Amino acid sequence: MLEDSTSPSRARAKALGFRGIALIALGLVIVAFGLFMLAGGVRLITLGGSWYFALAGIGLIAAGILAMLRRPLGTVVYLAVLAATAIWAVWDSGWAFWPLFSRLFALAAIAVLLLLLMPALRGGEPSASRRPGHVLAGLIAVALGATLYTALQP
């Protein structure tokens, strides 16, 4: 049986729009990263290692679920995990470029996408709080570009 254009599933997809669907997809990616980090973190804990990965994994899982539910708290939790990761990375490896790059680049790139999708968190309603998210996304994108440029220098 073919669905017509007034079916509930089509109406939900239309209401979500591109940003809403992108937010759900990004939330799934964040949850997947979180599950991977949690599993690895639990393994490290059993070996007497750092608790960081398990805790960061839990934070990423929460951020991803909140993002899929279109809750602004998801972005806050994600940025808190990113900030904690930056502090931990410097504490763990110092200011050495490649260790910091490997610990921070992917999380920062995902942060840019999440910040750009912030308007979808409020259901696409106009909001005065868009500008700080977009400015922060721009700053992180510039930092990522500079990092990539530095990484590619001989």
Side-chain angles (χ1 to χ4, degrees), residues 34-93:
L35 289 170
F36 181 75
M37 287 184 72
L38 178 60
V42 168
R43 177 73 177 134
L44 277 175
I45 290 168
T46 62
L47 297 172
S50 172
W51 282 63
Y52 162 75
F53 291 99
L55 296 174
I58 291 168
L60 289 176
I61 292 167
I65 290 170
L66 289 166
M68 286 187 290
L69 294 173
R70 301 175 74 178
R71 303 277 166 81
L73 183 59
T75 303
V76 174
V77 171
Y78 188 87
L79 293 175
V81 171
L82 178 59
T85 300
I87 293 166
W88 170 80
V90 170
W91 174 79
D92 188 52
S93 63

Side-chain angles (χ1 to χ4, degrees), residues 105 108-109 111-113 115-116 134-148:
F105 193 86
V112 170
L113 297 174
L115 287 164
L116 290 175
H134 289 168
V135 169
L136 186 55
L139 290 172
I140 294 172
V142 168
L144 287 171
T147 301
L148 222 75

Side-chain angles (χ1 to χ4, degrees), residues 97-119:
F97 178 80
W98 285 111
L100 289 176
F101 181 90
S102 66
R103 289 166 172 83
L104 298 174
F105 193 86
L107 287 176
I110 292 171
V112 170
L113 297 174
L114 190 57
L115 287 164
L116 290 175
L117 289 170
M118 276 183 69

